[in-house]
Amino acid sequence: MAVSERIGNGSDAAAELRAAAHRLDAGDALRPVRDRFTLPGDVVYLDGNSLGALPKAVPDRLAHVVAHEWGALGICSWTESGWWEAPERVGELIAPLVGAAPGQVVVGDSTSVNLFKALVAAVRLAGDGRDEVLVDSSAFPTDGYLAEAAVRLTGHRLVPVLPAEVPGRLGPRTAAVLLNHVDYRTGRLHDLPGLTAAVHEAGAYAVWDLCHSAGALPVGLDAHGVDLAVGCTYKYLNGGPGAPAFLYVRAAHQAAFDSPLPGWNSHAEPFGMRSAYTRAEGVTAARVGTPDILSLLALEAALGVWEGVDLAAVRAKSLALTDFFLECVDRYVPPGRLESVTPAAHEERGSQLALRTPLAAALMPRLIARGVVGDFRPPDLLRFGFTPLYVGFADAERAARVLAEELGAVGSTAG
């Protein structure tokens, strides 16, 4: 049911929409989770798709790590404080958020490094006789850069394609396919189950970039047979700026997983200091070098906000929030001033909205000055990320109202 049908069609749109937001917030089962975050006062924070808000548990945890584990225990913390096992331990916290059984997720390195490891490993799993790698041409540019580097290393040919073109482009020469789950610009959600099945039917391996879906919606890596996946942890997982990324290696592939970046952390005897490399068993083989302990343990504390949270409820609220925001925009903004480039269909929408206007570059700084924080993507997109754990319906109404006011102000100035 559309919001306008729920609230009626009276003349006072602001009063009606605020009343609707109040009712929706009052019935929001996730509303108490907001108190687990430190949020800037009087700010509507809609940039969690770039950097998540600060969980309240993180500062004290970091203070303890610095003062006690590093300061008092020093190097003994590798064993006494569990630093050495942290990449796998934190991976176990992320695993249920992406639909993975234990023993398949490890945390460390950046998304870029993990993408490179995953794609080269997928090509090596495919073996001889397959010389093409398909890459999502609409993905974040780094994905393409790394795919080019991967094929230079492996001697394969790179084929850029849009996700919708993948089924028709697959063939006996396809070794691996690298796809983005949610388009970082538009918020379009791609068909992970269907595309993974198509890749497997062609005898190839599927690698998914989950940067804009992990923590925003159910992913179902195990259920849908994904081979390898990577994702950052500083967006919807709220791990902090530059927090280490995660890498998923399906259990069935771990014995044959061949990383292009073998390091001492992935050695079967890391402290044996042997000149010959013998890979560790399981997902530990995906580690490389010494983990970034401060960021890793900050992430571990941040993941505590997910205790008792149902991802299905997160997804339901995400869709309700984005529907409500679009309804508010429709009520507040005159027709023709903004174009939503995010799909209207729920099955094709992530947890962000992208609105197109030629005034976007001038408009976003004004919104931020008014306490509505989103971001701008050239040449003409306003992006708004809706993190259901801490964004409410009143936030969505206020953001749409301020957007309409500033759009009118910028438009009159431009005119």
Side-chain angles (χ1 to χ4, degrees):
M1 180 181 294
V3 173
S4 58
E5 294 176 308
R6 292 199 303 267
I7 67 176
N9 295 296
S11 58
D12 190 350
E16 294 172 359
L17 291 168
R18 287 174 186 169
H22 178 76
R23 291 195 300 271
L24 290 165
D25 280 331
D28 175 18
L30 292 175
R31 190 176 185 182
V33 180
R34 182 184 177 104
D35 292 334
R36 300 177 185 177
F37 291 87
T38 297
L39 297 167
D42 199 31
V43 168
V44 177
Y45 191 69
L46 301 180
D47 213 4
N49 53 324
S50 285
L51 177 64
L54 172 66
K56 288 180 178 177
V58 171
D60 286 347
R61 176 65 177 122
L62 271 181
H64 178 81
V65 171
V66 171
H68 178 69
E69 296 182 14
W70 179 12
L73 298 179
I75 200 167
C76 296
S77 275
W78 284 107
T79 53
E80 293 186 29
S81 300
W83 287 1
W84 185 261
E85 299 83 13
E88 291 85 2
R89 186 175 69 244
V90 180
E92 295 299 270
L93 297 177
I94 293 174
L97 301 178
V98 292
Q104 299 178 101
V105 178
V106 67
V107 178
D109 305 312
S110 67
T111 305
S112 300
V113 171
N114 284 331
L115 268 173
F116 184 73
K117 288 187 283 186
L119 190 55
V120 173
V123 167
R124 290 173 173 174
L125 284 169
D128 297 334
R130 292 178 175 268
D131 60 359
E132 288 185 350
V133 173
L134 307 189
V135 61
D136 182 352
S137 60
S138 65
F140 192 74
T142 292
D143 292 30
Y145 306 156
L146 291 165
E148 289 177 1
V151 298
R152 285 198 302 270
L153 177 68
T154 60
H156 287 57
R157 186 169 74 93
L158 191 65
V159 182
V161 293
L162 292 171
E165 299 169 342
V166 167
R169 189 59 188 79
L170 290 164
R173 298 176 62 181
T174 308
V177 183
L178 172 59
L179 291 163
N180 234 37
H181 196 191
V182 175
D183 189 300
Y184 78 101
R185 292 166 302 176
T186 67
R188 176 181 290 275
L189 174 66
H190 296 301
D191 181 11
L192 182 147
L195 289 171
T196 300
V199 170
H200 288 167
E201 187 175 353
Y205 291 82
V207 181
W208 283 91
D209 181 336
L210 309 178
C211 283
H212 287 267
S213 59
L217 52 91
V219 177
L221 293 178
D222 284 354
H224 302 306
V226 170
D227 300 299
L228 300 112
V230 305
C232 64
T233 62
Y234 49 79
K235 294 182 173 67
Y236 296 105
L237 295 179
N238 310 294
F246 65 87
L247 172 58
Y248 164 88
V249 182
R250 190 169 184 82
H253 301 321
Q254 289 179 8
F257 177 82
D258 185 5
S259 172
L261 298 173
W264 78 288
N265 264 230
S266 63
H267 197 286
E269 297 180 76
F271 292 97
M273 303 303 166
R274 306 186 187 285
S275 57
Y277 179 76
T278 303
R279 66 186 293 278
E281 294 184 357
V283 76
T284 299
R287 291 174 63 163
V288 184
T290 306
D292 185 339
I293 290 298
L294 296 182
S295 291
L296 188 56
L297 298 185
L299 169 62
E300 183 175 31
L303 291 169
V305 301
W306 291 94
E307 184 178 355
V309 173
D310 181 1
L311 265 176
V314 172
R315 178 59 171 163
K317 183 180 175 182
S318 166
L319 294 171
L321 273 170
T322 47
D323 279 345
F324 184 66
F325 178 77
L326 289 173
E327 183 72 17
C328 290
V329 169
D330 184 60
R331 295 287 298 275
Y332 286 141
V333 177
R337 299 298 305 278
L338 291 170
E339 175 195 1
S340 175
V341 299
T342 305
H346 285 182
E347 64 271 17
E348 296 179 357
R349 186 194 306 171
S351 201
Q352 77 173 50
L353 294 171
L355 304 179
R356 175 172 287 144
T357 169
L359 302 174
L363 195 54
M364 184 51 71
R366 297 177 66 106
L367 294 178
I368 293 172
R370 292 279 305 275
V372 175
V373 179
D375 63 27
F376 162 68
R377 285 292 179 268
D380 56 4
L381 288 183
L382 301 169
R383 292 196 320 169
F384 301 101
F386 292 82
T387 304
L389 299 188
Y390 54 78
V391 174
F393 293 90
D395 295 325
E397 183 277 330
R398 176 183 163 191
R401 181 164 32 88
V402 171
L403 172 60
E405 292 169 0
E406 292 303 320
L407 183 61
V410 172
S412 62
T413 301

